[in-house]
């Protein structure tokens, strides 16, 4: 209400007396009723244009990346006769950028007012790099070094893209819908992990390996065009920079000192370490110990992707009723149970296939549920000026232990055998629940309230009948 309106109402009150007072009271009552009206529910994500564009861009881009994971190594092997050492360098080239400047990418993202231009630029750079492979092959100038450089460029662009994408989600999606949005993104990752290799094999068969990489370049271009069509404005307040190293340390400090973020970081590192150790021996365990037919192994692995879709669907709905904290608490309990069931598996082939199908589906769903809730809680608990650095810190730590876990699983299997390593991984997975269940994420029962005694009214020493004659007498 403006100053002039207030002055006019005061003048009317002096002039008309009670009439203006009644009008002011009515206006106040109307305002109170309007304030008490519940806000309308948010528009479902599937009907929000900008979220659909963002989700479609990520799905297309991730699917193209899955195609290149098969097409680029096949190009090096079949056309360039790469040596084992060259293949090792080529495989590591995709992960090296995350280790070199994964933490710095978060500091860069936190300095930006708008994240979408950086995301578009990263997709365009990746498109140009991937497109050079079929061009170089057609010109006859392609070699293994060229492929390694392309892998480094695409990996570096991907690190920057992920650092900017995490805070950008907060601008596109409302806070109460972020869990559902995260579930949608992880569902697309599950679809890409299942369909990507099959699509890559088909493209390599039809177009040859170098031309199949062109599909990845087109996917990056399509993603950039879709991101450019998003209209949601970004008004992020950039964090004040005190130098790259100090910015990185601030993100590390926030991730370690905040009790909730520390629990998520510890659980994520624990899960990924033992999950990679489990993955390193899982294929050998199925073939040599359980004697699963080779033709069925691909089907069992595909069930994990189907479980991811189911987990995304359930997480988006159950989180609205029970909250992300409870879903996360239950998810960390499923990890060791599923792996323990695999480690203790015995019996006829039909029983092994049935239990492996069930555990594969459950593990896929549990992974997506955990990752979805972890992302949503990180967004909720982190201040906007630190989201890029905290996400980069967690990504760096969680992804950095993958190589260590795979190496540990392989070495232990050499000395202990395959089944003991599976059981060790189940025990290690159980440690992740300690991080979560001893943190503030665990719901605490409210303490019983002690009944309060009502205040004692002042005691009247004499009744009214006694006081009146006494007063009269005096």
């Amino acid at each position: 209400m403006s100053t002039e309106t207030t002055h006019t109402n005061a003048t009317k009150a002096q002039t008309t007396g009670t009439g203006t007072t009644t009008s002011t009271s009515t206006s106040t009552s109307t305002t109170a009723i309007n304030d008490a009206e519940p806000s309308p529910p948010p528009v479902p994500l599937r009907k929000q244009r900008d979220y659909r564009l963002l989700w479609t861009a990520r799905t297309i881009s991730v699917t193209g990346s899955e195609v290149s994971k098969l097409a680029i190594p096949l190009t090096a092997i079949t056309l360039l006769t790469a040596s084992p050492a060259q293949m090792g360098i080529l495989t590591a080239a995709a992960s090296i950028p995350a280790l070199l400047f994964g933490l710095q990418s978060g500091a860069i993202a936190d300095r930006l007012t708008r994240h979408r231009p950086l995301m578009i630029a990263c997709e365009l750079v990746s498109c140009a790099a991937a497109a050079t492979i079929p061009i170089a092959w057609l010109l006859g100038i392609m070699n293994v070094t060229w492929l390694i450089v392309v892998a480094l460029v695409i990996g570096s662009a991907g690190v920057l893209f992920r650092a900017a994408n995490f805070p950008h989600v907060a601008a596109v999606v409302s806070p109460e819908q972020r869990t559902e949005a995260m579930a949608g993104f992880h569902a697309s990752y599950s679809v890409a992990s299942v369909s990507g290799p099959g699509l890559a094999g088909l493209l390599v068969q039809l177009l040859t390996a170098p031309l199949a990489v062109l599909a990845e370049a087109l996917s990056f271009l399509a993603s950039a065009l879709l991101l450019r069509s998003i209209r949601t404005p970004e008004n992020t307040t950039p964090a004040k920079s005190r130098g790259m190293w100090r910015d990185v340390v601030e993100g590390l400090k926030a991730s370690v000192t905040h009790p909730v973020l520390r629990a998520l970081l510890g659980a994520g590192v624990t899960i990924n370490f033992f999950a990679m150790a489990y993955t390193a021996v899982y294929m050998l365990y199925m073939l040599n110990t359980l004697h699963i037919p080779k033709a069925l192994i691909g089907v069992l692995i595909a069930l994990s992707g189907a479980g991811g879709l189911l987990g995304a669907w359930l997480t988006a709905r159950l989180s609205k009723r029970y909250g992300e904290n409870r879903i996360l608490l239950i998810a960390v309990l499923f990890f060791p149970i599923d792996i323990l069931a695999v480690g203790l598996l015995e019996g006829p082939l039909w029983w092994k296939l049935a239990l492996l199908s069930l555990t594969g589906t459950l593990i896929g769903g549990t992974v997506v549920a955990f990752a979805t809730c972890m992302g949503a809680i990180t967004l909720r608990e982190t201040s906007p000026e630190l989201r890029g650095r905290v996400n980069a810190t967690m990504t760096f730590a969680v992804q950095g232990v993958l190589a260590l876990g795979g190496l540990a699983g392989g070495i232990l299997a050499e000395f202990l055998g395959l089944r003991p390593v599976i059981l060790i991984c189940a025990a290690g997975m159980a440690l992740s629940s300690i991080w979560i269940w001893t943190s503030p994420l665990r719901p605490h029962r409210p303490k019983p309230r002690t009944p309060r005694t009502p205040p004692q009214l002042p005691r009247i020493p004499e009744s009214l009948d006694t006081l009146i004659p006494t007063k009269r007498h005096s």
Side-chain angles (χ1 to χ4, degrees), residues 123-146:
E123 295 293 73
L124 292 177
V125 169
S126 299
C127 171
T132 62
I133 293 180
I135 294 174
W137 177 69
L138 292 174
L139 295 176
I141 59 175
M142 187 175 61
N143 52 41
V144 177
T145 303
W146 191 297

Side-chain angles (χ1 to χ4, degrees), residues 25-82:
S25 175
T26 305
S27 176
T28 305
S29 302
T30 305
T31 304
I33 294 174
N34 292 335
D35 292 340
E37 291 180 357
S39 58
V43 179
L45 284 179
R46 65 179 181 275
K47 296 183 180 180
Q48 296 182 21
R49 174 184 175 275
D50 287 349
Y51 172 75
R52 292 200 309 268
L53 290 172
L54 181 60
W55 181 86
T56 306
R58 295 303 303 130
T59 303
I60 293 175
S61 180
V62 171
T63 304
S65 298
E66 290 294 328
V67 171
S68 70
K69 287 181 180 179
L70 180 63
I72 291 180
L74 283 178
T75 301
I77 294 172
T78 59
L79 299 179
L80 304 176
T81 60

Side-chain angles (χ1 to χ4, degrees), residues 86-450:
Q86 290 175 326
M87 289 301 299
I89 297 174
L90 179 61
T91 303
S95 304
I96 287 176
L99 298 176
L100 291 180
F101 57 91
L103 296 175
Q104 294 89 331
S105 65
I108 294 173
D110 283 337
R111 297 177 183 181
L112 300 177
T113 304
R114 299 175 61 213
H115 298 93
R116 191 156 51 91
L118 177 60
M119 296 164 60
I120 296 173
C122 291
E123 295 293 73
L124 292 177
V125 169
S126 299
C127 171
T132 62
I133 293 180
I135 294 174
W137 177 69
L138 292 174
L139 295 176
I141 59 175
M142 187 175 61
N143 52 41
V144 177
T145 303
W146 191 297
L147 295 180
I148 294 174
V149 172
V150 169
L152 287 172
V153 172
I154 294 178
S156 302
V159 170
L160 283 173
F161 182 95
R162 289 189 293 270
N165 179 70
F166 188 76
H168 179 69
V169 173
V172 176
V173 182
S174 59
E176 61 270 16
Q177 293 179 311
R178 288 172 184 168
T179 302
E180 185 178 356
M182 293 288 180
F185 292 137
H186 288 289
S188 66
Y189 298 151
S190 299
V191 172
S193 64
V194 175
S195 61
L199 179 60
L202 179 62
L203 291 175
V204 169
Q205 186 71 24
L206 296 176
L207 303 175
T208 70
L211 291 180
V213 182
L214 186 62
E216 182 185 19
L218 295 177
S219 69
F220 286 132
L221 179 61
S223 175
L225 294 176
L226 290 171
L227 291 173
R228 189 177 182 275
S229 302
I230 295 177
R231 300 172 183 171
T232 302
E234 290 187 89
N235 296 317
T236 306
T237 302
K240 295 181 179 179
S241 176
R242 297 181 298 173
M244 179 61 70
W245 177 245
R246 289 187 177 182
D247 291 346
V248 170
V249 171
E250 190 175 1
L252 289 169
K253 184 179 179 181
S255 303
V256 174
T257 56
H258 192 289
V260 173
L261 299 179
R262 181 175 60 246
L264 295 176
L265 180 62
V269 169
T270 304
I271 289 172
N272 268 23
F273 179 85
F274 289 101
M276 201 61 189
Y278 172 76
T279 304
V281 301
Y282 178 67
M283 193 78 67
L284 291 172
Y285 178 73
M286 285 197 297
L287 289 173
N288 299 336
T289 304
L290 300 182
H291 305 290
I292 304 298
K294 296 179 181 179
L296 297 177
I297 291 179
V299 177
L300 293 175
I301 294 176
L303 287 174
S304 178
L309 292 176
L310 179 62
W313 182 79
L314 288 175
T315 304
R317 282 149 183 80
L318 293 178
S319 61
K320 296 179 181 179
R321 181 173 182 180
Y322 300 105
E324 295 85 1
N325 292 10
R326 292 187 178 181
I327 303 299
L328 194 73
L329 291 167
I330 299 301
V332 294
L333 297 179
F334 271 98
F335 281 116
I337 293 174
D338 293 339
I339 297 179
L340 181 63
V342 175
L344 298 177
L345 183 57
E346 294 284 356
L349 181 61
W350 67 267
W351 169 247
K352 294 177 183 177
L353 292 175
L355 189 60
L356 287 174
S357 301
L358 178 61
T359 55
T361 304
L362 288 176
I363 288 176
T366 304
V367 168
V368 170
F370 181 87
T372 298
C373 294
M374 181 177 179
I377 294 173
T378 302
L379 272 177
R380 182 189 72 197
E381 297 291 335
T382 309
S383 57
E385 67 274 8
L386 284 170
R387 282 172 178 163
R389 281 168 286 177
V390 168
N391 178 63
T393 300
M394 291 193 172
T395 303
F396 177 83
V398 170
Q399 298 296 325
V401 300
L402 291 179
L404 298 176
L407 183 63
I411 293 175
L412 286 176
E414 288 285 342
F415 294 97
L416 303 178
L418 297 174
R419 192 184 295 272
V421 172
I422 299 289
L423 297 177
I424 290 174
C425 291
M429 285 284 190
L431 298 176
S432 63
S433 60
I434 299 177
W435 287 99
I436 302 299
W437 282 82
T438 56
S439 72
L441 294 169
R442 180 182 179 181
H444 298 282
R445 295 182 179 179
K447 296 181 180 180
R449 297 180 178 179
T450 55

